Amino acid sequence: MRLIYAFLFSLFFVTASAHGQGLPGYVLTLTGDTLLGTVVEQQNEQQIALYTSRSRVPQLFQARQVRGYGLRNQPAILPRVVHLASGVDSVYFVLPLQVGSASVYSYSDETGLLLLSPGADTLQELTATNWHVLVNRYLRGCATFDPSSNRILQLSFTERNVRQVLMEFNQCMNPQWRPGTSTNPRSSVWRSGLGLRMMPLYSRYRGKGDGQSANGQGYQLGLEWVNVRANGLQTTLSGSYFYLSDKTSVYRYAFPEAAYRQDINRYKLLDINVTAGKRFGRPSRPALLLGIGTGGTYNLNSETEVKQHLTNPASLQTSDVHQESGGAKIHVGFTTGTIVPIGTHHEMRMAATYQHYILSGLHIIGLQLGYTWFRK
């Protein structure tokens, strides 16, 4: 089992650097043209590729070569000059997090914090070692705001603290200013969809019934919220109803007296799962999906039927039935499969899944069938 997990995690992180499938969008050229097609975000937030129906070869654009790019019906993601902490200037695609007299940005992959001081055109890369220095250097000009106060100097380097300091400065410069006036950056880079999933499954539970194993079948039915980026990244939050029935083989049981016994279990469960993965393939064609996930299962109701006979394993009779509810278990797993687009707003998915329940002998494999509708 450890070798399987090592292989899966290695495969996931190796392929994470490969180019994703992309999303419908546009590129704004320096000459004022708008090029439509499928946009693929590539590495380092400095390059994108555009696939069009007229050419099988993508057009590659550096951040300095375009005015911006965006997903369908979403605001453009713009390039800006960034003065890196290393002292080098370079052009990156960035996202606004909080806009005002002084603004804070992130790189287009939603990492990093970048400061745009009043009247400046160049963003300053903030780090844990330089952010107090840069705040003290650039956030000047308001008598009631002191960037070198002990209170500010004692703040740790987090997005929340950076936003708070800039909010205080902006409200000092303009008492009418309020945060939250910029667009949500996530809406610019993620495409969201609502989906349905169903999954016939097979289970194996080791250690049931005096050390016996139990095999079973069942199914899942549920809803999911899918988010996809133009670099191929995909996150999925799902909630499912989960039915499982398993039974042990007939075995010899010694307490309270020697007898032949078989345990039959029926579970009604609620499952919550979060998966992160990546799509691979050419735009508008079937894509390979690889993902890893974790979640929890809550026991709505479970029933155990015990069958026994003192001497004849072929004549078992029900001796006890008991029920219980409550309790949760955590699971981890992986998904691999194929996504097939249907037009521009719909897609189907077929994937193999595996789940291992932590601190439990339960293992589940299934064939996941899914449908997703994207509003945009």
Side-chain angles (χ1 to χ4, degrees):
M1 185 60 63
R2 291 181 180 178
L3 292 177
I4 293 176
Y5 278 121
F7 168 76
L8 291 171
F9 277 93
S10 298
L11 180 63
F12 180 79
F13 287 111
V14 167
T15 55
S17 61
H19 293 166
Q21 194 179 32
L23 291 174
Y26 59 91
V27 173
L28 304 176
T29 69
L30 296 177
T31 58
D33 295 325
T34 300
L35 307 179
L36 302 179
T38 298
V39 176
V40 179
E41 297 171 323
Q42 299 188 345
Q43 302 301 311
N44 301 323
E45 299 75 56
Q46 291 186 292
Q47 180 174 288
I48 56 173
L50 180 70
Y51 290 82
T52 64
S53 58
R54 294 177 295 179
S55 175
R56 300 182 60 182
V57 179
Q59 295 176 265
L60 300 180
F61 298 96
Q62 298 292 325
R64 64 177 182 275
Q65 296 175 321
V66 296
R67 293 169 51 204
Y69 75 94
L71 304 184
R72 176 182 292 150
N73 299 324
Q74 297 296 333
I77 300 167
L78 305 179
R80 300 293 294 260
V81 177
V82 178
H83 184 74
L84 302 175
S86 62
V88 177
D89 286 356
S90 190
V91 181
Y92 287 85
F93 292 110
V94 299
L95 296 172
L97 300 179
Q98 183 172 284
V99 178
S101 299
S103 304
V104 60
Y105 288 73
S106 73
Y107 294 109
S108 59
D109 66 350
E110 301 175 89
T111 64
L113 293 173
L114 310 169
L115 171 67
L116 182 63
S117 57
D121 295 321
T122 299
L123 297 170
Q124 304 289 329
E125 184 180 39
L126 300 178
T127 67
T129 56
N130 74 4
W131 85 283
H132 286 300
V133 174
L134 294 178
V135 164
N136 188 57
R137 178 183 303 168
Y138 293 112
L139 301 190
R140 295 287 183 175
C142 185
T144 60
F145 177 81
D146 183 8
S148 61
S149 67
N150 288 333
R151 179 183 63 83
I152 292 180
L153 293 177
Q154 291 175 0
L155 294 176
S156 59
F157 180 62
T158 65
E159 179 180 334
R160 179 180 179 180
N161 287 338
V162 172
R163 283 175 176 260
Q164 179 63 34
V165 170
L166 265 67
M167 182 179 69
E168 294 177 12
F169 174 78
N170 289 331
Q171 289 179 336
C172 181
M173 298 294 290
N174 177 13
Q176 303 301 318
W177 180 89
R178 293 292 181 271
T181 55
S182 63
T183 59
N184 180 5
R186 286 187 57 85
S187 67
S188 299
V189 298
W190 292 90
R191 189 187 193 197
S192 299
L194 182 65
L196 301 172
R197 65 160 61 184
M198 63 174 295
M199 181 170 64
L201 52 87
Y202 169 81
S203 69
R204 182 172 177 82
Y205 204 141
R206 298 178 179 177
K208 274 200 168 184
D210 197 24
Q212 300 298 309
S213 295
N215 299 324
Q217 297 85 33
Y219 62 87
Q220 276 189 351
L221 295 173
L223 298 174
E224 57 187 20
W225 181 250
V226 180
N227 292 281
V228 185
R229 277 203 63 152
N231 59 6
L233 291 178
Q234 174 173 312
T235 63
T236 303
L237 172 64
S238 64
S240 304
Y241 172 76
F242 185 173
Y243 176 79
L244 178 65
S245 176
D246 64 20
K247 62 181 179 180
T248 66
S249 57
V250 178
Y251 62 96
R252 192 70 171 167
Y253 190 67
F255 181 84
E257 58 182 324
Y260 290 97
R261 171 171 168 164
Q262 184 180 45
D263 301 326
I264 302 174
N265 306 279
R266 303 175 185 89
Y267 303 95
K268 297 177 181 179
L269 310 167
L270 177 64
D271 185 77
I272 304 296
N273 189 71
V274 178
T275 302
K278 192 166 184 178
R279 303 177 176 210
F280 305 93
R282 291 183 62 85
S284 303
R285 295 184 182 180
L288 170 67
L289 174 66
L290 178 65
I292 56 177
T294 185
T297 299
Y298 178 77
N299 179 23
L300 298 174
N301 178 264
S302 62
E303 177 184 273
T304 299
E305 178 183 358
V306 179
K307 291 187 173 184
Q308 290 182 321
H309 196 278
L310 291 177
T311 60
N312 188 357
S315 302
L316 298 179
Q317 295 181 347
T318 299
S319 62
D320 183 35
V321 177
H322 60 270
Q323 297 186 357
E324 62 181 27
S325 60
K329 294 182 179 180
I330 303 299
H331 57 74
V332 296
F334 68 88
T335 300
T336 181
T338 301
I339 296 174
V340 180
I342 304 174
T344 58
H345 296 280
H346 311 270
E347 64 184 27
M348 301 295 294
R349 180 180 70 256
M350 178 179 293
T353 66
Y354 168 79
Q355 290 180 345
H356 167 64
Y357 283 73
I358 298 174
L359 302 178
S360 170
L362 180 60
H363 303 262
I364 292 178
I365 59 174
L367 178 62
Q368 187 182 105
L369 304 174
Y371 161 79
T372 306
W373 171 74
F374 293 98
R375 186 171 63 89
K376 296 181 180 180

